[in-house]
């Protein structure tokens, strides 16, 4: 495997992992030690060759088709993860439950799935925002404005949502 290809493959692996909100240590924890952080990190840096079998197993672990991990196969060819949307959980706790109840329950579910209980912030992806928009019966951009007005999302979230809606 060429060095350049290994680096591109590694960038795809890193993008998928970060899109799922996982650190290298988080991968090791979620896989119960099957995937060592140091090994996944070396794959991502392109320092270590990954066999087809291990790549298929890693794709299965991430819940994505193998072709999503291969360089040059993502629509648009982008290997960078989409901009993150970060919920301010401390601020969310101050929003009345009649307004923020669904968001509070959704965030608690994500925290439970990830085992992430820092209680300060929570990264969500565009798919999470679309799901929440359905729950709130609003478009993602309108919901984003509402969450910004509550102080739960930073105003930078507008750019992330706008860039996602354009693609």
């Amino acid at each position: 495997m060429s060095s350049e290809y290994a680096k591109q493959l590694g960038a795809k692996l890193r993008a998928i992992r970060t899109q799922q909100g996982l650190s290298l240590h988080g991968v090791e924890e979620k896989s119960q030690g099957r995937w060592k952080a140091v090994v996944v990190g070396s794959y991502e840096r392109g320092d270590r060759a990954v066999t087809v079998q291990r790549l298929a197993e890693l794709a299965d672990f991430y819940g994505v088709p193998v072709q999503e991990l291969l360089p040059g196969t993502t629509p648009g060819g982008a290997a960078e993860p989409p901009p993150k949307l970060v919920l301010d959980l401390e601020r969310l706790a101050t929003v009345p439950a009649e307004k923020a109840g669904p968001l509070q329950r959704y965030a608690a579910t994500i925290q439970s799935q990830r085992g992430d209980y820092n209680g300060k912030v929570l990264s969500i992806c565009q798919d999470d925002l679309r799901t929440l928009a359905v729950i709130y019966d609003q478009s993602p951009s309108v919901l984003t404005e509402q969450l910004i007005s509550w102080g739960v999302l930073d105003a930078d979230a507008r750019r992330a949502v706008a860039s996602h809606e354009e693609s």
Side-chain angles (χ1 to χ4, degrees), residues 40-60:
V40 174
S42 65
Y43 291 156
E44 290 181 2
R45 289 186 304 278
D47 295 341
R48 183 175 184 162
V50 59
T51 66
V52 173
Q53 178 65 35
R54 291 293 281 171
L55 188 63
E57 292 170 4
L58 195 52
D60 186 52

Side-chain angles (χ1 to χ4, degrees), residues 69-146:
L69 301 179
L70 300 175
T73 58
T74 299
E80 290 296 310
K84 285 188 179 177
L85 300 168
V86 181
L87 296 175
D88 182 334
L89 297 176
E90 292 175 323
R91 186 83 167 128
L92 179 58
T94 68
V95 179
E98 61 270 9
K99 289 182 178 179
L103 177 57
Q104 290 166 337
R105 288 188 298 278
Y106 195 87
T109 300
I110 292 173
Q111 286 179 294
S112 174
Q113 289 173 340
R114 292 182 190 168
D116 176 6
Y117 299 103
N118 74 27
K120 296 182 186 312
V121 295
L122 180 69
S123 294
I124 62 170
C125 65
Q126 295 286 345
D127 286 341
D128 292 322
L129 186 66
R130 282 194 298 273
T131 300
L132 286 164
V134 169
I135 292 168
Y136 278 93
D137 195 25
Q138 297 176 344
S139 71
S141 56
V142 169
L143 179 60
T144 299
E145 291 302 322
Q146 185 171 8

